[in-house]
Amino acid sequence: MRRIFILFTAAIMSIGMMAAEYVGTMQMAGGFTLKEVRVSLDEQGNITMYDVKFARLMPVRVDVRIPSVKRQQGQLSGDKIIPYVGNKPQPKRIVTHLRGTANKQMLSFRCEFGGKEMQFQGKAK
């Protein structure tokens, strides 16, 4: 009985530590829009955008992680953050002026990504 209680407690705790997932629209300055973008935000403040591209003519889609975004009372912020594509840092695409909000229902943020304005707005999946 004790073993079942421990397993149940561990399962409940791991649910709280999982990343929240959102689906929404990403827009780049200049008019490029990508819909149905999946984004996760984890407890460490890592924002991961899955299967995205940043321009109409970009030949491939990539997963991009913006690490260590500051989270305080539902507010997101960050400046001079080096993003990652896969496990490779991308210092030429530095993220600046990141501001946004996050809760269980929605995620919204904007930033400059490599000097180009980007914004995302999505609802919880």
Side-chain angles (χ1 to χ4, degrees), residues 7-117:
L7 290 173
F8 179 74
T9 303
I12 295 298
M13 289 176 65
S14 69
I15 290 171
M17 291 188 263
M18 294 170 56
E21 289 203 5
Y22 306 87
V23 175
T25 301
M26 183 180 92
Q27 293 179 308
M28 296 296 295
F32 178 69
T33 300
L34 197 57
K35 295 185 179 188
E36 298 299 314
V37 174
R38 187 170 60 97
V39 175
S40 68
L41 174 62
D42 68 20
E43 293 296 318
Q44 291 76 37
N46 297 308
I47 295 174
T48 305
M49 300 179 294
Y50 299 96
D51 200 29
V52 296
K53 60 184 194 172
F54 297 94
R56 193 172 326 282
L57 297 178
M58 188 173 161
V60 297
R61 290 177 180 247
V62 295
D63 293 346
V64 177
R65 180 171 50 92
I66 304 171
S68 304
V69 172
K70 294 176 187 162
R71 297 176 69 178
Q72 273 189 324
Q73 299 175 343
Q75 300 296 309
L76 305 175
S77 65
D79 197 35
K80 298 180 183 173
I81 301 170
I82 296 174
Y84 285 76
V85 172
N87 289 326
K88 291 186 175 184
Q90 302 294 317
K92 291 183 180 181
R93 305 287 183 239
I94 195 159
V95 175
T96 57
H97 309 296
L98 188 142
R99 299 288 179 266
T101 57
N103 58 43
K104 291 180 182 179
Q105 293 82 30
M106 56 88 60
L107 170 66
S108 177
F109 68 93
R110 63 177 47 230
C111 62
E112 288 187 21
F113 197 93
K116 296 181 180 178
E117 190 169 329

